[in-house]
Amino acid sequence: MSRIDLLQPHIPAPGASANVIRTEIRTASPVRGVPGPSVSWRVLVVEPHADDAESLVRGLRRHGHDVASVATGGAALQTYEDADLVLLDLDLPDLDGLEVCRSIRSVCDVAVIAVTARGTELDRVLGLQAGADDYLVKPYGFRELMARMDAVMRRARPEPASARVISCGPLRIDAGSREVRLGGRHIEVTRKEFDVLYLLASHPDIVITRKRLMQQVWGDSWSRRTVDTHVSSLRTKLGAKEWIVTVRGVGFRLGADLVKSGSTA
């Protein structure tokens, strides 16, 4: 039986692997007595023990989350960018979990909860100093994990007073579901790409300075190359570089010409 109390029968994992196991969520069936979340998050589970990983993925899936699971620190460092929240075991087979946490925190502000058997006060201090937003000691209850995830995500991404849908010509950006559609076609974007596009679309008539873009989307961890890479990726996904216009020496703005023309290409 899993060492994690998930309040449900344990089903052994068919096989342990360092490869990413992604589960796309279509419907959710919450565990009785545990309220489901109001939104769905992309959660990366970094857990080397196959039984714990399987139970945790299953529980999160039942609560409507899109879950990816990896078993090593190396795989985590290749996968975390698309996640909203990382559940990170600190006892990994290849890398020190604290170093993985530091590496993630040095380049982005994705929410991280350390989930580990290391339970001393010093361990907790080191985990939080490494950049974890919260620290949970095994064994733990699933209700507590869900409550901590909710609390961390409220701090990391405060919900707006009301969900906003921004329409710019054929471009539709839904802040509630964090979905982007162009001419009715779903555009798959990463968390940071969405934040960049949403910020630009929220102010379609002004130029967003590079400094403001970096501070609001990346906080204290950013670089000029990071911004340029995300803007370039967005242009490719939207099908035209004119969707995001570079104002030399200042920053970026939404492509007013495409918005007015209603172009989807």
Side-chain angles (χ1 to χ4, degrees):
M1 184 173 182
S2 169
R3 292 173 297 171
I4 301 176
D5 174 19
L6 289 175
L7 309 180
Q8 54 187 328
H10 169 65
I11 301 176
S17 172
N19 295 329
V20 177
I21 305 172
R22 177 163 293 282
T23 306
E24 295 295 338
I25 304 308
R26 300 301 179 187
T27 60
S29 176
V31 176
R32 182 175 301 175
V34 183
S38 59
V39 295
S40 175
W41 303 317
R42 289 173 289 189
V43 182
L44 175 62
V45 173
V46 186
E47 171 58 65
H49 300 100
D51 56 348
D52 287 358
E54 175 66 19
S55 295
L56 188 50
V57 167
R58 187 171 62 249
L60 293 171
R61 180 177 61 206
R62 292 183 65 186
H63 279 72
H65 297 300
D66 178 8
V67 187
S69 177
V70 297
T72 66
L77 293 176
Q78 296 176 358
T79 315
Y80 71 87
E81 190 173 80
D82 288 342
D84 298 310
L85 184 146
V86 178
L87 299 178
L88 175 65
D89 193 310
L90 299 183
D91 295 307
L92 301 173
D94 57 338
L95 301 173
D96 186 340
L98 292 176
E99 289 303 318
V100 174
C101 188
R102 291 190 188 96
S103 296
I104 293 175
R105 183 58 67 234
S106 69
V107 294
C108 78
D109 60 354
V110 62
V112 178
I113 298 179
V115 181
T116 177
R118 303 178 187 179
T120 69
E121 180 182 7
L122 178 58
D123 288 325
R124 295 172 189 269
V125 170
L126 291 175
L128 295 173
Q129 289 181 340
D133 297 282
D134 201 352
Y135 196 101
L136 189 58
V137 178
K138 295 180 179 182
Y140 57 85
F142 192 64
R143 289 185 176 89
E144 180 181 5
L145 173 64
M146 293 300 295
R148 288 178 181 270
M149 288 172 60
D150 286 341
V152 165
M153 292 305 292
R154 281 198 303 270
R155 295 194 297 268
R157 184 184 300 160
E159 294 185 11
S162 59
R164 293 186 57 196
V165 176
I166 300 177
S167 295
C168 301
L171 185 63
R172 184 177 186 274
I173 305 169
D174 190 328
S177 63
R178 295 182 67 82
E179 288 185 343
V180 177
R181 291 187 176 274
L182 181 60
R185 177 171 58 92
H186 177 72
I187 306 296
E188 186 68 34
V189 297
T190 67
R191 187 168 69 97
K192 293 301 185 184
E193 288 170 353
F194 180 91
D195 292 341
V196 169
L197 187 59
Y198 184 79
L199 178 57
L200 294 174
S202 298
H203 309 278
D205 300 321
I206 66 173
V207 177
I208 303 298
T209 65
R210 183 181 293 273
K211 181 177 181 180
R212 177 181 176 185
L213 192 62
M214 291 189 293
Q215 288 180 337
Q216 289 194 214
V217 176
W218 281 273
D220 295 328
S221 301
W222 49 262
S223 70
R224 183 186 184 92
R225 183 176 180 181
T226 296
V227 177
D228 291 341
T229 298
H230 282 73
V231 168
S232 176
S233 178
L234 275 172
R235 286 169 171 162
T236 299
K237 292 179 178 181
L238 294 174
K241 64 180 182 180
E242 291 80 12
W243 271 112
I244 301 178
V245 178
T246 300
V247 180
R248 188 178 297 276
V250 183
F252 303 93
R253 66 172 174 81
L254 201 65
D257 293 340
L258 286 182
V259 170
K260 293 176 181 177
S261 68
S263 174
T264 60

